[in-house]
Amino acid sequence: QVQLVESGGGLVQAGGSLRLSCAASGRTFGSYAMGWFRQAPGKEREIVAAIRGSGGITYYADSVKGRFTISRDNAKNTVYLQMNSLKPEDTAVYYCAARLGIVYYTSMDGYPYWGQGTQVTVSS
């Protein structure tokens, strides 16, 4: 079992930056692949980025490539999402998710553990 708590969301103008954090409980954080997802009003939840348990290999949705960076600090049990050049269409509730195993999935179904979400609002 792992519990996840996101933080760092807020209101930012277009072109600005935010860094989301997701703190995980437990002593085997490095055994979990992590993902960031987002859900905008009236839309389905979608993958934003993912990272292997050991770090290094990452995945990004096409819509955020070159603007967002996922990283993790296994010593701090934390995964981050650095978001730059934010656009109004990035407005959503952002969730982190975890799955036991080194390999990440890009589908929601692959993640049994979820945080409560943090709101990101980008104004134009």
Side-chain angles (χ1 to χ4, degrees), residues 4-7 21 45 93-96 114-119:
L4 306 172
V5 179
E6 301 100 333
S7 60
S21 299
R45 196 171 297 187
V93 178
Y94 283 70
Y95 300 88
C96 72
W114 291 83
Q116 82 288 351
T118 186
Q119 176 71 46

Side-chain angles (χ1 to χ4, degrees), residues 104-117:
Y104 59 73
Y105 280 21
T106 58
S107 168
M108 284 180 56
D109 293 344
Y111 294 86
Y113 307 108
W114 291 83
Q116 82 288 351

Side-chain angles (χ1 to χ4, degrees), residues 12-17 67 83-88 90 122-124:
V12 64
Q13 289 188 332
S17 298
R67 300 189 298 123
M83 305 186 295
N84 298 329
S85 302
L86 283 161
K87 305 175 181 180
D90 294 318
V122 184
S123 63
S124 57

Side-chain angles (χ1 to χ4, degrees), residues 6-80:
E6 301 100 333
S7 60
L11 173 64
V12 64
Q13 289 188 332
S17 298
L18 283 174
R19 188 175 82 155
L20 305 183
S21 299
C22 174
S25 64
R27 293 181 290 178
T28 60
F29 181 65
S31 300
Y32 289 82
M34 302 296 295
W36 283 99
F37 290 75
R38 67 185 180 187
Q39 188 166 18
K43 295 188 176 182
E44 293 186 351
R45 196 171 297 187
E46 61 177 4
I47 183 79
V48 175
I51 188 167
R52 286 171 62 105
S54 56
I57 297 178
T58 57
Y59 167 88
Y60 296 96
D62 287 344
S63 58
V64 306
K65 278 182 183 176
R67 300 189 298 123
F68 291 11
T69 302
I70 188 171
S71 62
R72 64 190 299 158
D73 185 337
N74 286 348
K76 295 183 178 180
N77 281 17
T78 302
V79 63
Y80 304 97

